[in-house]
Amino acid sequence: QENTDKQIGFVQKEDKNSLEKAEKEKLEKEKKEKEQQEKEKKTEEERKLREEEERKKQEEERKAREEQERRDAEAKQIAEQAEAAVQQLENNQVQDYVAPAQAAVERVADENIKSKLVYRIGLVQNAINIRAQQAAEAEQARQAAERQATENQIVEQQESVAAGGYFKDYRGRWHRPNGQYASKKEIANAGLAW
């Protein structure tokens, strides 16, 4: 019976060991499943984060493209307005159109277009300045001619009322101081040129 008790104790011990072993295996299996689920959950969260980041990145790129397109369209419109202002200045070469054309060109962002428009404005300004200078010179010449004519008239009047009261009329005829016509002989005697 002692042997049997030993065997029963041994079997019970074995059963207990196998139960503990089964329990340990079950716990390890549950632990592994839990770890696997957590790993899958973590992987899923990382995937979702990457997708969200990718979606945000694409959204930002789309917004950046739209903003760039808007800026390009705005720059193109500003360049067209500046071109129109310079064209108006070229068609009507008046100083009044220079300042608006320069203001429109200052807003242009593209340096290449801006330099071409500034050059065209410079050409028109030179033409305006040359015409103004020519007009000023013509005015000076007219005033000089007018002064010369006035001086000649004064000299002629002084000569016409010269010696002995004789004077010359607007037709160039000599008269005596009493208003009658004078003869060549009288004028010559007075020392005047006929």
Side-chain angles (χ1 to χ4, degrees):
Q1 195 172 34
E2 222 176 269
N3 263 347
T4 342
D5 283 340
K6 274 187 180 182
Q7 283 180 346
I8 291 175
F10 184 71
V11 169
Q12 285 177 346
K13 203 175 189 183
E14 245 180 54
D15 283 343
K16 194 175 180 184
N17 281 343
S18 66
L19 280 175
E20 285 178 7
K21 195 175 183 183
E23 189 69 30
K24 275 186 180 179
E25 286 177 1
K26 186 178 175 184
L27 285 174
E28 283 183 29
K29 189 176 180 183
E30 285 176 0
K31 189 176 178 184
K32 283 183 181 180
E33 285 178 3
K34 193 174 183 181
E35 286 176 0
Q36 183 66 29
Q37 286 176 351
E38 286 178 7
K39 192 174 183 181
E40 287 175 1
K41 187 177 179 183
K42 192 174 181 181
T43 306
E44 181 67 22
E45 287 175 359
E46 288 175 356
R47 185 186 60 79
K48 285 182 180 179
L49 275 174
R50 281 194 306 270
E51 287 177 358
E52 182 68 22
E53 288 174 3
E54 184 66 29
R55 189 180 58 74
K56 284 181 181 178
K57 186 177 177 183
Q58 288 175 351
E59 181 70 20
E60 289 173 2
E61 288 174 356
R62 183 186 61 80
K63 285 182 181 179
R65 276 195 311 272
E66 288 175 357
E67 180 67 20
Q68 185 63 35
E69 288 172 0
R70 185 188 64 75
R71 275 191 253 123
D72 290 346
E74 189 176 304
K76 184 178 179 184
Q77 182 182 12
I78 289 171
E80 288 173 356
Q81 290 172 347
E83 173 68 31
V86 171
Q87 187 64 44
Q88 182 181 24
L89 174 63
E90 290 173 337
N91 292 340
N92 306 309
Q93 295 187 0
V94 182
Q95 193 67 34
D96 296 343
Y97 292 112
V98 172
Q102 286 176 332
V105 168
E106 285 300 317
R107 295 178 52 217
V108 175
D110 184 354
E111 290 299 321
N112 188 25
I113 294 172
K114 191 176 193 175
S115 65
K116 289 178 183 177
L117 294 175
V118 167
Y119 177 73
R120 288 170 55 192
I121 289 173
L123 291 177
V124 173
Q125 274 189 311
N126 286 342
I128 290 171
N129 292 341
I130 289 171
R131 276 202 317 276
Q133 185 179 4
Q134 288 172 343
E137 289 172 357
E139 178 63 22
Q140 286 176 348
R142 185 193 65 76
Q143 288 175 353
E146 194 175 287
R147 274 195 307 274
Q148 186 63 35
T150 304
E151 289 173 9
N152 288 345
Q153 191 177 22
I154 291 171
V155 168
E156 196 173 288
Q157 285 176 355
Q158 288 173 349
E159 285 179 1
S160 65
V161 182
Y166 293 100
F167 64 94
K168 214 178 203 182
D169 65 12
Y170 67 95
R171 290 189 221 145
R173 295 183 184 156
W174 285 99
H175 296 270
R176 294 185 191 122
N178 64 5
Q180 296 176 340
Y181 290 118
S183 67
K184 284 184 183 182
K185 189 175 179 184
E186 286 177 283
I187 298 302
N189 286 341
L192 301 170
W194 181 252

